[in-house]
Amino acid sequence: MKSRLALACTAGGLSLVAALPASFMALAQTAPTFDKSPLRSVASFSSIVDQKARSVAFFEEAGKVIEHPRCLNCHPAGDRPLQTMAMHPHQPPVSRGDGGMGVPGMMCNTCHGAENATIVGQSPTLKSIPGNPAWHLAPIEMAWVGKSLGEICQQLKDPARNGGRDLNKIVEHMSHDSLVGWGWNPGEGREPAPGTQSEFGELIKAWADTGAACPPG
């Protein structure tokens, strides 16, 4: 059943993609450049004596994940999620809706199930449809696309925008939330975020423990 649903949703997406102008497709297939190097360990920053500078360094290292398409695609500046390393608009064309779950007739769970679904026979590059029990867009207050890493840092610390979380809850969310963790298990045919969720969580905790200083800008 999962395979048939995946095939149906993907087929619809491909027919819409095929109708897009060639100029748009050429732009969409040009992937931005991202830092794909492994995450450094918390201990590797011990030589930075100044605590604020070390805190900033922790967040900048965590930024390899935060600014990776696996995260940015679900933190768009508008009401439409993004797809692929090229970060082109989601096909089929969906909208945020209430709670980031889509709109009636095109809810996120129409195509996205509780786990990644492998598909066959659709495209040489399209191998699976993402899945997670809580699949949805991040709140618009947490829009990251187009923001500097410093601006994203300030968003994360602001309870008015982060869902009322204090630093401890932010660390817990980043370290253990399964939807965040999907970034390292994105399904066949997708590049995972750098490092592991555990390494990322350790960097976020170290950032919080050293004062949660933000990069400039």
Side-chain angles (χ1 to χ4, degrees):
M1 178 61 70
K2 290 179 183 176
S3 295
R4 289 197 294 271
L5 176 60
L7 288 170
C9 292
T10 306
L14 287 176
S15 66
L16 286 164
V17 170
L20 293 172
S23 58
F24 177 88
M25 290 302 295
L27 176 62
Q29 291 168 359
T30 303
T33 300
F34 299 97
D35 188 342
K36 300 180 182 181
S37 61
L39 293 179
R40 294 174 57 187
S41 69
V42 169
S44 71
F45 293 89
S46 60
S47 61
I48 303 177
V49 177
D50 182 78
Q51 180 172 293
K52 181 177 180 180
R54 191 163 69 255
S55 188
V56 169
F58 287 139
F59 196 82
E60 289 177 336
E61 188 67 15
K64 292 179 182 178
V65 173
I66 292 169
E67 296 187 309
H68 190 278
R70 290 288 81 81
C71 290
L72 289 181
N73 284 349
C74 288
H75 287 260
D79 289 333
R80 190 171 173 185
L82 306 174
Q83 292 177 318
T84 79
M85 290 296 289
M87 298 175 59
H88 63 69
H90 190 288
Q91 294 293 347
V94 297
S95 186
R96 178 182 301 278
D98 292 338
M101 296 294 295
V103 296
M106 190 62 79
M107 304 296 289
C108 296
N109 60 13
T110 300
C111 291
H112 297 281
E115 57 188 26
N116 298 329
T118 301
I119 57 177
V120 295
Q122 291 295 312
S123 164
T125 57
L126 190 58
K127 304 296 184 181
S128 63
I129 289 181
N132 181 276
W135 194 266
H136 65 283
L137 271 183
I140 191 63
E141 293 81 4
M142 282 289 107
W144 292 353
V145 173
K147 301 286 181 65
S148 70
L149 190 59
E151 289 172 324
I152 294 172
C153 179
Q154 295 293 347
Q155 282 178 301
L156 284 174
K157 295 197 301 181
D158 183 359
R161 291 183 284 175
N162 71 14
R165 293 183 175 94
D166 60 16
L167 286 176
N168 288 332
K169 289 182 178 178
I170 289 173
V171 171
E172 174 66 22
H173 176 69
M174 296 296 204
S175 302
H176 302 294
D177 184 271
S178 68
L179 188 53
V180 174
W182 176 89
W184 291 273
N185 180 35
E188 188 177 355
R190 291 181 189 84
E191 177 185 310
T196 67
Q197 186 173 18
S198 177
E199 292 170 337
F200 176 62
E202 288 171 2
L203 286 166
I204 293 295
K205 184 178 188 304
W207 164 71
D209 289 346
T210 50
C214 291

